[in-house]
Amino acid sequence: MNQGNFKSGYSLNDNTASVYLTTEGNFWKGLLLNGCDTVKMIHTYFRNIAPYPADSTYAADLINCRIIDIESSNFLSELSIKTGCIRASYISNQDNYYSAYLLDNTFVIDAGGVPAVSFISSGGLTFPLIMEGNNFTAYTENNSSNAILLSNVTGGAIKNNNISGFTDGVIMLSSGMDFYKNTIDGTAYNSIGIQGHSQSDIHLSPSGSYYTSGQNQIFFRK
């Protein structure tokens, strides 16, 4: 889909049933949304996404979408299938206002090198990126999966998320983010909770009397 507005599961009726995006057998290519003004999903369930190196690697591939709002949705990748969940990529354009909000979603994968969620910018893009109350789970302990990848993205917060079983919880490249009340349980061998590369700015402590960051719990196994 090029441009326009994409909405799934949003309705004026609070009793709207969940939306299942899947196939009966085999795989499908997932969503490719390019230049959309808004992308809104709630109670949307993704299944049977085609694995890498097929046509799609992500359930939702979002390119230069201005406002992203994904809540209470579920992304499931079958065991040992190289499939990610959400990839948002941007060409930096300061004339546009971007925002992204991921709330109370469930990501269950064992993708082996494919991040569950990626936000990638070609330049230093500053916009409110909020990831709150999400659950990330990897199937097996001996995996090479990464829960969250941020590249050239500054602004916003990662808070109240549970990340369990990933070799790498969060990888940041030239990015800056507040971390508040997250639990990262790296049960994989030699796992790393948060990695910061290329002069990334990782905020893990309060700012004066304001708890914009801090109170994170990071566990790992040697």
Side-chain angles (χ1 to χ4, degrees):
M1 177 176 171
N2 293 314
Q3 300 183 340
N5 300 307
F6 180 90
K7 296 183 180 181
S8 173
Y10 274 77
S11 173
L12 296 177
N13 185 350
D14 292 336
N15 296 320
T16 301
S18 300
V19 175
Y20 285 83
L21 302 179
T22 185
T23 62
E24 293 187 7
N26 298 319
F27 299 102
W28 68 295
K29 298 179 182 180
L31 299 176
L32 175 58
L33 307 178
N34 185 9
C36 291
D37 187 67
T38 58
V39 175
K40 292 180 176 287
M41 303 181 198
I42 189 170
H43 299 305
T44 300
Y45 290 72
F46 289 83
R47 300 289 187 273
N48 293 339
I49 303 301
Y52 179 86
D55 296 275
S56 176
T57 309
Y58 287 85
D61 205 349
L62 314 176
I63 303 172
N64 284 332
C65 293
R66 196 172 66 86
I67 298 174
I68 298 172
D69 184 3
I70 302 175
E71 304 179 28
S72 302
S73 294
N74 185 287
F75 299 79
L76 172 65
S77 174
E78 298 298 333
L79 182 64
S80 300
I81 298 260
K82 285 190 175 182
T83 301
C85 302
I86 298 172
R87 178 173 61 184
S89 53
Y90 303 86
I91 299 174
S92 182
N93 184 348
Q94 299 302 326
D95 293 333
N96 285 336
Y97 171 82
Y98 296 101
S99 69
Y101 188 40
L102 272 60
L103 171 67
D104 191 33
N105 300 290
T106 299
F107 305 97
V108 183
I109 69 168
D110 194 13
V114 179
V117 173
S118 302
F119 279 82
I120 301 170
S121 169
S122 63
L125 190 63
T126 300
F127 68 96
L129 165 60
I130 305 296
M131 301 181 64
E132 181 177 5
N134 302 286
N135 291 289
F136 296 80
T137 304
Y139 279 107
T140 61
E141 291 187 2
N142 296 318
N143 66 80
S144 58
S145 298
N146 165 223
I148 300 171
L149 172 65
L150 303 178
S151 178
N152 282 311
V153 176
T154 302
I158 296 175
K159 57 184 181 179
N160 296 309
N161 299 283
N162 292 306
I163 300 173
S164 177
F166 289 84
T167 301
D168 299 302
V170 181
I171 298 178
M172 298 173 60
L173 306 172
S174 301
S175 299
M177 199 66 55
D178 291 337
F179 287 81
Y180 177 68
K181 272 194 174 181
N182 300 285
T183 299
I184 303 176
D185 186 1
T187 56
Y189 180 71
N190 282 340
S191 61
I192 300 176
I194 302 173
Q195 294 189 50
H197 304 280
S198 303
Q199 298 181 334
S200 289
D201 193 1
I202 303 172
H203 305 156
L204 295 173
S205 60
S207 176
S209 60
Y210 296 97
Y211 273 85
T212 56
S213 306
Q215 299 187 3
N216 300 281
Q217 299 185 73
I218 302 175
F219 306 93
F220 65 94
R221 181 183 301 177
K222 294 183 179 180

